[in-house]
Amino acid sequence: MRGCHAYAYLRVGLGVATVIPEHKIQEILDRVDLVSLISRHVELKKAGREWKACCPFHQEKTPSFYVVPEKRFYFCHGCRASGDAVSFVQRYLGKTFVDAVKDLAQELGIDVQGEEDPGVRERQRIKDATDFAAEHFRALLWQQDEGRAARAYVASRGISEETAMAFGLGWAPDAWSLLADRFQKQGMLEWGQQAGLVTPRSSGEGYIDFFRGRLVIPIRSPEGRAIAFGGRLVGREDGPKYLNSRESRIYNKSETLFGMNQAREEIHKRKAAILVEGYFDCIGLYQVGVRHSVALCSTNLTAGHLQVLKRADAKKLFLLLDGDKAGLAAVERLAGPLLAAGADARVALLPQGDDPDTFARRQGLEGVERLLESAQPLTTHLFSTVLPHGTASPYEEKMAALDRLKPMVGQFVPGLERNEFLKAIAACFGWTVRVVEDSLRNLRPKPPPQGAQGAPAQQPEKPSEKPPPWLETLYVASILRDSRLLARDTFRVCDELSHMGLRMALAHATSGHGTEDALYEASDAVKRAVEEAWRQLPERGMTLDHDFSNICREIMVRRIDERLAYIRRATEQTPGAFDLTEETRELLTERVELLALKKRVLEELKPASSGTKAPMQPV
């Protein structure tokens, strides 16, 4: 079975994309006559229910190349080439994965161009415009004269050049249309506007830059792709200190955390994340070695943010906020969604006058670690803040405290979390739960969006996606982590991948677009599986090499064993040697060749004692 919900992307010119859904690819594989296709290039001879020939991919005198029309695949016992119709066209004619799909579709009369998705095309063009802008800003920061003021500001914040480069910081000069003019020359002006990077002039024709006179901070997806920007005013006071990209087809504030691409691995390692409010807080912590902090992109904490953290395996959240009134207010603002989600959240308040950035610079990694160790549970901090004297507090203080807690309770839905929070309030106030409940009886969770007739809007359910095969996921995740491993795949396991989503991610990553793009457009099922595989795989180096070899070995052995099992079932009813049909003889010959191939695989890909055994199942 092929995987579901995956797409191939065809690029024609700058940013133009056509989408081929997997059901179209599967239709091609189901309808193509594999024997007819291969026989155009290879002289095939019937061998029972299969066809055989001398392999077109290596020199040989005895045929070891088989085509199995029943299962729609080919394989060679000599050079280990194998795959389906798409992979044959790729390998024999030197086509890319997408071009091979297009060629076969054209022959079969399957309209893949008709599957063009304007939304996907628009997203791709916005991504191209955002990439172009990110490089534009980055280059200007490091220009000798143009970026001098911005570099001085970066240095004044204690940020090294190395850290500035790691976060891709840039500079938007105080010019009206520098980026807009470049977009115009590239034919990207419309998409620069869609990305929120340029805006029409208030009077007259033309466009002006959205970011001007600002240090530019790229906001990235968890995979590392620039999807928006924040801009900090430098050198003048006539405007807001911070300016942020508006939302677009590729940027959703409620699902984006700044620094997640840098912090994801460390969050998984520690099973914890630090939540700060500012870009420079996150950057400053990173520079001193605190690598598991993320920042809100000038918005409230949402269920989407918490889901992103959950996917990164953050079991515990630390709120690292200023110790002034603004910091205390921020804790109360963030508490609602955290408590409603049942998150294990703790509060680490900084000394008066400090923010995470300045504290980290002064106290370093050890100071930050000590502060986190002293962090209080969120409810403990809340109750000690809103009602410092607890049950001994006078009536007026209790009512004022209850008023501050009401917005938090209002974010709960009926259930265990709400009941437990009400019990905690009752214990703090010295009331019964019934009294607390009566005091809050007018609070109800926000109703769902209403449809046209006043009924709750019905959202179409997305079909659940089955995760791709785990071994195949480990294989692809290893190559996405270190592309050099593909050259070590001597048995061409890449041709054995059955999941189209993984095949397309691999093809995209190894065709020059890189890992970021490969996962940016991958289905949720593929993305989740690859991220889980990354957590279990080692970093680059000999250990990853050893594990990759073990993964290749396991996949090949399983494929061979599957074929051997088929041959055993097909030949087990044979009465005797004199009663063998031609088809049975071919199968028994194939069995001998498969056993020889299995022996070579086991010998050439011996498990290395210095490596770790690759995880065979997700955890």
Side-chain angles (χ1 to χ4, degrees):
M1 290 291 292
R2 302 297 184 191
C4 61
H5 190 63
Y7 298 87
Y9 290 83
L10 318 183
R11 295 170 186 255
V12 184
L14 183 60
V16 180
T18 298
V19 157
I20 307 178
E22 187 181 339
H23 73 84
K24 284 289 182 180
I25 301 175
Q26 191 59 54
E27 182 183 352
I28 291 167
L29 294 174
D30 290 342
R31 286 177 52 184
V32 71
D33 185 337
L34 186 60
V35 173
S36 176
L37 171 68
I38 295 178
S39 63
R40 297 177 205 168
H41 312 287
V42 181
E43 186 178 348
L44 294 174
K45 293 184 178 180
K46 194 79 165 67
R49 285 181 290 182
E50 301 172 354
W51 298 75
K52 69 176 182 179
C54 288
C55 181
F57 304 120
H58 79 288
Q59 297 294 322
E60 65 176 4
K61 295 180 179 179
T62 303
S64 61
F65 179 83
Y66 287 82
V67 180
V68 188
E70 179 185 350
K71 295 194 174 183
R72 300 185 180 88
F73 77 96
Y74 67 88
F75 63 93
C76 174
H77 294 305
C79 70
R80 302 175 287 275
S82 64
D84 53 26
V86 174
S87 73
F88 181 84
V89 174
Q90 279 185 266
R91 185 194 290 263
Y92 191 84
L93 299 178
K95 300 274 187 176
T96 65
F97 177 82
V98 169
D99 286 340
V101 172
K102 284 180 64 180
D103 288 353
L104 290 172
Q106 186 175 10
E107 285 189 21
L108 295 167
I110 297 175
D111 181 17
V112 293
Q113 297 296 336
E115 295 290 330
E116 188 171 7
D117 181 344
V120 172
R121 183 175 67 248
E122 183 176 338
R123 281 197 303 276
Q124 182 57 51
R125 284 172 165 168
I126 293 172
K127 285 194 295 181
D128 290 337
T130 305
D131 286 344
F132 184 86
E135 178 56 28
H136 166 82
F137 295 136
R138 188 204 62 78
L140 287 172
L141 177 64
W142 302 107
Q143 282 187 10
Q144 184 63 32
D145 294 324
E146 185 59 70
R148 181 175 288 117
R151 292 196 302 274
Y153 176 77
V154 170
S156 74
R157 299 291 304 238
I159 300 171
S160 67
E161 287 190 8
E162 181 182 3
T163 301
M165 290 179 179
F167 281 86
L169 301 187
W171 169 239
D174 194 9
W176 284 102
S177 60
L178 188 61
L179 179 58
D181 292 342
R182 291 197 66 194
F183 276 150
Q184 180 78 54
K185 290 179 182 177
Q186 295 292 329
M188 303 172 73
L189 194 56
E190 177 185 355
W191 308 111
Q193 183 184 4
Q194 292 287 337
L197 292 162
V198 296
T199 183
R201 292 180 181 273
S202 57
S203 61
E205 296 181 352
Y207 290 78
I208 60 173
D209 295 352
F210 182 73
F211 294 106
R212 301 190 307 277
R214 293 177 181 274
L215 181 73
V216 178
I217 305 114
I219 299 167
R220 302 183 185 276
S221 69
E223 295 75 43
R225 175 141 199 174
I227 55 176
F229 302 94
R232 206 290 184 187
L233 198 64
V234 174
R236 55 190 179 89
E237 302 295 331
D238 57 336
K241 184 184 291 186
Y242 284 95
L243 198 60
N244 299 290
S245 292
R246 60 176 175 79
E247 292 193 335
S248 71
R249 278 188 172 270
I250 66 171
Y251 174 49
N252 184 344
K253 287 182 180 180
S254 65
E255 296 179 356
T256 304
L257 291 167
F258 176 77
M260 177 55 75
N261 61 303
Q262 303 273 15
R264 186 170 53 180
E265 289 297 323
E266 189 69 12
I267 288 173
H268 172 71
K269 189 183 300 182
R270 291 175 176 258
K271 301 292 186 277
I274 302 171
L275 191 62
V276 296
E277 288 205 288
Y279 302 127
F280 289 105
D281 293 333
C282 184
I283 293 171
L285 289 168
Y286 176 93
Q287 180 160 289
V288 301
V290 181
R291 300 295 169 88
H292 56 305
S293 71
V294 293
L296 294 168
C297 297
S298 301
T299 187
N300 292 324
L301 184 67
T302 68
H305 295 135
L306 295 175
Q307 189 61 34
V308 171
L309 289 165
K310 183 179 179 181
R311 285 202 299 267
D313 212 18
K315 310 292 187 189
K316 185 180 294 184
L317 299 179
F318 291 92
L319 304 183
L320 185 57
L321 302 166
D322 302 354
D324 55 14
K325 287 184 179 180
L328 294 173
V331 173
E332 293 184 29
R333 189 177 72 252
L334 298 172
L338 288 168
L339 293 168
D344 180 0
R346 295 169 183 268
V347 180
L349 284 181
L350 294 155
Q352 281 282 351
D354 269 340
D355 56 31
D357 176 23
T358 56
F359 182 84
R361 270 190 284 163
R362 189 178 69 253
Q363 298 291 337
L365 174 61
E366 291 183 1
V368 175
E369 295 284 6
R370 284 195 300 270
L371 190 66
L372 295 177
E373 288 173 5
S374 65
Q376 290 183 316
L378 177 56
T379 50
T380 302
H381 167 84
L382 273 178
F383 295 147
S384 65
T385 302
V386 302
L387 199 66
H389 301 103
T391 57
S393 302
Y395 164 81
E396 292 83 2
E397 287 184 12
K398 287 184 179 180
M399 297 311 295
L402 187 64
D403 193 55
R404 289 167 67 178
L405 293 172
K406 277 183 179 180
M408 302 173 204
V409 180
Q411 297 188 49
F412 284 81
V413 296
L416 176 64
E417 287 85 2
R418 187 176 188 275
N419 292 339
E420 289 301 312
F421 189 50
L422 292 178
K423 287 181 184 178
I425 293 175
C428 177
F429 282 53
W431 295 347
T432 66
V433 174
R434 177 65 179 272
V435 169
V436 175
E437 185 75 76
D438 288 345
S439 302
L440 301 170
R441 70 163 59 94
N442 293 326
L443 285 176
R444 293 289 184 271
K446 293 181 180 179
Q450 297 294 304
Q453 304 301 320
Q458 295 297 317
Q459 298 295 330
E461 280 193 23
K462 293 182 180 179
S464 60
E465 299 178 72
K466 292 183 179 180
W470 182 238
L471 275 173
E472 293 187 12
T473 302
L474 287 169
Y475 173 88
V476 172
S478 299
I479 292 174
L480 293 183
R481 172 158 283 175
D482 187 348
S483 61
R484 294 174 300 173
L485 290 174
L486 189 60
R488 300 173 65 90
D489 180 11
T490 56
F491 284 89
R492 297 287 300 183
V493 173
C494 55
D495 294 328
E496 299 288 343
L497 300 181
S498 63
H499 193 278
M500 278 295 171
L502 289 174
R503 284 176 67 175
M504 285 184 281
L506 185 62
H508 202 65
T510 55
S511 62
H513 298 298
T515 304
E516 296 171 12
D517 267 1
L519 289 183
Y520 191 88
E521 294 290 7
S523 71
D524 287 343
V526 169
K527 194 176 294 186
R528 284 194 299 268
V530 170
E531 287 176 350
E532 178 60 33
W534 271 341
R535 295 183 190 121
Q536 298 193 39
L537 288 168
E539 295 294 335
R540 293 176 177 83
M542 288 302 295
T543 306
L544 180 60
D545 290 355
H546 295 152
D547 282 1
F548 181 71
S549 179
N550 291 342
I551 292 164
C552 291
R553 175 179 183 269
E554 188 73 18
I555 291 175
M556 286 301 299
V557 168
R558 289 191 184 188
R559 293 288 188 273
I560 293 169
D561 285 346
E562 288 170 4
R563 183 62 181 169
L564 287 171
Y566 167 78
I567 293 173
R568 184 176 65 253
R569 290 193 301 270
T571 59
E572 62 186 0
Q573 301 302 323
T574 303
F578 294 104
D579 300 311
L580 293 179
T581 63
E582 180 63 25
E583 179 181 355
T584 304
R585 292 179 191 277
E586 294 288 349
L587 287 174
L588 292 174
T589 300
E590 180 187 343
R591 178 179 179 276
V592 173
E593 293 169 347
L594 282 170
L595 290 171
L597 173 59
K598 183 176 180 179
K599 182 180 178 182
R600 289 205 304 276
V601 170
L602 294 173
E603 288 177 350
E604 293 180 27
L605 299 178
K606 289 181 180 178
S609 57
S610 58
T612 60
K613 183 175 175 57
M616 293 298 107
Q617 294 294 332
V619 296

